[in-house]
Amino acid sequence: MDRIGRKWPRYTLVVPWTLLVAGVVLELSTPERVSASPLLALACVFAGSTASLRTTVTVSVVAVVFEVLSGINQGVFEAHEVVENLFVALAGLLAVDLNRLLGRYGHRIEAVETVARAAQLALLPVPPREVGDLRIAAVYRTAQSDARIGGDVYGVQETPFGVRALIGDVRGKGLGAVSTVAVLLAVFREAAEEEPDLVAVADRLERCLEREGRRRGGLEETEGFTTALLAEFPPVGGRLRLLNCGHPSPYAVDADGIRSLDPGDFSLPLGMGPLADTARTVDEYPFPDGASLVLVTDGITEARNHDGAFFTPLTALGDCDSGDPDAVLEALLRAVSAWSGPSPDDDSAVMVLNRCPAPQGARLPAGSTRAR
């Protein structure tokens, strides 16, 4: 790893020394008119850009000393020898200065990444491992390797109405999308705790985005929207309720296999509610103990391979253990990386929620039954 945090192949550690040795051998085994100073200078510069400060100084000193001693043996006062000595010495000085400059730049990058990581955890904290009777595994990946925050959002909240979850994708990039993510998540946590049904939660989020659009003006006011999926796990009954606002459908993984939970009626994304002719509707599904719900953003469903074909999560999750949310998450991420490569083209978020089996002998509230 160099001074600004880039990972170089292992062989680069020996390249400066290899160049240095090659220069020495060339100088000692060739006629006087053949000069090895370009190789010695290259060794210095290569060390300055890829190695530590100590290695850079050592390589530069060895190169300069050898060039001077070689010149003394051949007549140091000749003009071309003086020029070669100065050339190697200047390369060594530049290499040391370059290394120190890259070191300061690397410290700044590290500080910025530290702040970015802290900001991400503050704006989009990692969901807890357990909420209510659910076990959770989640991951967030940005398309830019140096970025830590993007436009995807997810959250989980335990409420009087059961555990509620949100996953969404904000239109746009940059600080505007990050600001919307922060506001959206804060409003979701409040609305999930207070509103009796998912439609009312979606309405609160809709009003939030309308206020944000008016505050920002421009395209954000007229074209800003967020695709979102709201999920609710009632405390009893083994059921699952979903409200899909233009978001990729989730997947249910259980003992019977995997299936896509497509909505009966597609609702418009949040921020576009006034354009809809009908009210949003909630779909309900059986969700037995041991089942997992996989929520994704379009960074997963729109991942492409070299032929331009879209990734299909259904095939990736067919053989995974539905009772282990970490196994489901890892299986999906491995399949996406194998399909489109390790560097994603778009931000992506995945959240897996698994309903833990009830302990044997646990009693349910009177009059309630678990759906099977």
Side-chain angles (χ1 to χ4, degrees):
M1 183 176 294
D2 68 7
R3 304 284 282 171
I4 59 175
R6 292 176 301 186
K7 292 184 177 180
W8 293 91
R10 289 184 178 274
Y11 67 81
T12 57
L13 297 176
V14 300
V15 169
W17 299 105
T18 303
L19 293 171
L20 190 61
V21 171
V24 171
V25 173
L26 180 66
E27 187 74 30
L28 297 177
S29 62
T30 57
E32 180 181 346
R33 65 177 180 274
V34 178
S35 174
S37 57
L39 279 176
L40 299 178
L42 182 59
C44 297
V45 174
F46 199 96
S49 59
T50 62
S52 65
L53 179 59
R54 177 180 297 180
T55 300
T56 301
V57 172
T58 303
V59 171
S60 299
V61 169
V62 172
V64 172
V65 169
F66 174 78
E67 182 65 23
V68 170
L69 293 177
S70 176
I72 291 176
N73 292 333
Q74 299 177 7
V76 71
F77 296 108
E78 293 184 11
H80 73 277
E81 293 294 345
V82 174
V83 171
E84 290 175 359
N85 291 343
L86 291 176
F87 177 64
V88 175
L90 180 60
L93 291 174
L94 289 176
V96 172
D97 190 58
L98 173 64
N99 192 274
R100 295 176 61 185
L101 179 63
L102 291 177
R104 290 195 296 268
Y105 183 54
H107 288 314
R108 291 181 181 178
I109 291 178
E110 185 178 355
V112 170
E113 289 183 345
T114 300
V115 172
R117 281 191 290 267
Q120 182 190 28
L121 290 176
L123 295 177
L124 194 63
V126 178
R129 297 288 296 174
E130 294 186 5
V131 177
D133 64 346
L134 299 177
R135 293 185 299 167
I136 302 170
V139 68
Y140 184 92
R141 302 191 303 175
T142 56
Q144 297 179 349
S145 59
D146 293 333
R148 300 290 178 181
I149 310 173
D152 290 356
V153 57
Y154 55 63
V156 181
Q157 182 89 355
E158 187 171 14
T159 74
F161 315 101
V163 177
R164 287 174 170 175
L166 163 72
I167 191 167
D169 187 356
V170 177
R171 173 193 174 275
K173 303 291 183 182
L175 293 179
V178 173
S179 175
T180 302
V181 165
V183 173
L184 199 66
L185 188 56
V187 173
F188 164 73
R189 295 196 181 284
E190 181 180 355
E193 188 74 22
E194 298 175 354
E195 299 296 345
D197 58 71
L198 293 182
V199 174
V201 174
D203 290 341
R204 287 273 289 271
L205 296 175
E206 181 93 43
R207 293 193 294 271
C208 152
L209 292 178
E210 290 177 355
R211 289 194 303 270
E212 279 295 294
R214 288 194 299 268
R215 182 179 66 83
R216 296 179 188 176
L219 290 177
E220 291 296 328
E221 182 176 5
T222 57
E223 299 182 9
F225 65 88
T226 298
T227 67
L229 178 69
L230 292 167
E232 180 180 274
F233 302 84
V236 295
R239 309 293 292 176
L240 166 67
R241 300 188 184 110
L242 295 175
L243 175 55
N244 194 323
C245 301
H247 197 76
S249 298
Y251 303 90
V253 187
D254 54 29
D256 296 328
I258 178 174
R259 63 189 186 280
S260 177
L261 301 182
D262 299 321
D265 293 313
F266 283 89
S267 299
L268 291 177
L270 299 174
M272 302 177 66
L275 302 178
D277 296 330
T278 59
R280 294 187 172 96
T281 57
V282 176
D283 298 287
E284 188 166 331
Y285 306 89
F287 196 71
D289 292 342
S292 290
L293 179 70
V294 183
L295 309 177
V296 301
T297 59
D298 60 8
I300 298 294
T301 58
E302 295 181 3
R304 297 173 181 259
N305 62 8
H306 294 298
D307 297 327
F310 288 112
F311 174 71
T312 306
L314 286 171
T315 58
L317 299 175
D319 299 326
C320 63
D321 180 6
S322 63
D324 185 350
D326 293 299
V328 174
L329 179 63
E330 289 299 324
L332 181 60
L333 295 181
R334 282 196 306 268
V336 172
S337 296
W339 183 265
S340 60
S343 300
D345 295 327
D346 192 9
D347 297 343
S348 60
V350 182
M351 185 163 57
V352 181
L353 303 102
N354 170 258
R355 171 160 276 161
C356 306
Q360 290 188 355
R363 301 183 62 183
L364 296 173
S368 64
T369 59
R370 283 192 180 272
R372 294 289 181 185

